[in-house]
Amino acid sequence: MVVPAVLLLLGALLSVAAPRLLARADWPDREPVLALWVWQCVVAAVLLCCALSMTLSAAAAWQEVRGPVFATAPRPVVEAYAFGAAGATAPAAAVALACGGLWSAAMLVREVVRARARRRRRRAELLVRAPLLPGEEPGNDRLVVLEGERPDAWWLPGPSPRLVITTAALRRLKGRQLDAVLAHEQGHARARHDWLLHCSSALAGGFPQVPVFAAFRDEMHRLVELAADDMASRRFGRLTTALALVELNEHRGVFGPCPTPGTQVPERVHRLLTPPARLTAARRLRLTALASLVPVVPVLVAFVPGLRALG
């Protein structure tokens, strides 16, 4: 039975080749939303390879699994997978892949729990720094202004999401720059970028040696910011959005001769001021369709023996 092995090889090939191909491409910075979709399709395909390989290996190893999986399949289809020829590696592969799936789920749960703990902590700090006045009832105000000497603004997700901004930021942001900052943070909230970051961090934390997961995490942190920048710039202009980024980050030393390591703000400002040409609508459509087909490939590989038997 070679289909589980082929699926694992396909997953390994995608894990190594996809990050390299996307790193060499020049269009992700031009189309960050499309790049986000492509990355999600690639990671989904890798996970599908592992899940299908685990299922077929377990079906080859144990009749208790094979029965429910192939309950409605004709006898020629079951025989086409040659479960009887499965060696001693099938149970070990199934168990190993099942442990990997459980570990992935545990990492995601850990990431969500940590994110909720951070959110509760920040809400508690927010309540300390901006307490309710005597007689004031807690409301659903989406904008909270904090007294602060450093210009800053951030979105606090949750059941009642809020945008927090400091008084220093209000003093520095001029004209429509504040509106651009609000649109940027609202773009994160509407696109649910926090869940993308949770999933990518969970996979990279659980499997740090897998290239596609580490690159997925790094690119998600970068691309969600570019996508939010584009959302703000479409409403309030690229120059306004770039100036707002400068005003909020100038005090952090990110624009000096020795910028803070890991910062992406200078590149984001440069991209806003010298916008690259977007892809044509036809090319965006082709890339979207091609990316959508990537997760279909493991499914087709898994069904090849059965389709041949019915053929």
Side-chain angles (χ1 to χ4, degrees), residues 97-276:
L97 290 169
C99 290
L102 292 175
W103 181 250
S104 300
M107 290 298 100
L108 180 58
V109 171
R110 186 188 70 170
E111 183 66 26
V112 172
V113 169
R114 287 182 174 180
R116 288 182 176 179
R118 289 193 300 267
R119 192 159 58 233
R120 285 194 300 268
R121 186 168 59 252
R122 298 190 77 173
R123 287 185 180 275
E125 294 172 355
L126 184 63
L127 189 60
V128 172
R129 296 181 62 183
L132 297 175
L133 297 176
E136 182 182 2
E137 296 292 334
N140 293 322
D141 298 329
R142 297 177 70 86
L143 178 63
V144 178
V145 179
L146 292 181
E147 185 71 32
E149 298 179 356
R150 302 181 65 180
D152 204 357
W154 66 90
W155 186 263
L156 193 60
S160 56
R162 294 179 177 182
L163 176 65
V164 184
I165 190 166
T166 63
T167 53
L170 292 178
R171 288 192 295 267
R172 298 199 64 165
L173 296 173
K174 303 174 181 64
R176 303 179 73 188
Q177 294 174 10
L178 176 59
D179 295 328
V181 171
L182 298 179
H184 176 99
E185 298 300 336
Q186 288 171 353
H188 284 312
R190 289 172 183 168
R192 301 307 303 267
H193 287 160
D194 54 326
W195 277 104
L196 273 179
L197 298 180
H198 292 334
C199 293
S200 61
S201 297
L203 289 172
F207 304 95
Q209 303 303 322
V210 180
V212 70
F213 294 153
F216 182 49
R217 176 195 56 198
D218 297 339
E219 285 298 289
M220 288 304 99
H221 282 81
R222 190 178 69 90
L223 291 172
V224 296
E225 295 299 335
L226 299 185
D229 287 345
D230 287 348
M231 293 179 192
S233 64
R234 279 195 291 268
R235 294 180 59 186
F236 302 103
R238 289 183 172 272
L239 179 59
T240 301
T241 306
L243 291 175
L245 278 175
V246 172
E247 293 294 343
L248 284 179
N249 294 278
E250 190 175 14
H251 68 285
R252 305 178 194 272
V254 298
F255 298 106
C258 299
T260 305
T263 182
Q264 300 168 359
V265 177
E267 290 78 7
R268 290 166 56 193
V269 172
H270 182 267
R271 176 178 175 272
L272 287 168
L273 295 178
T274 57

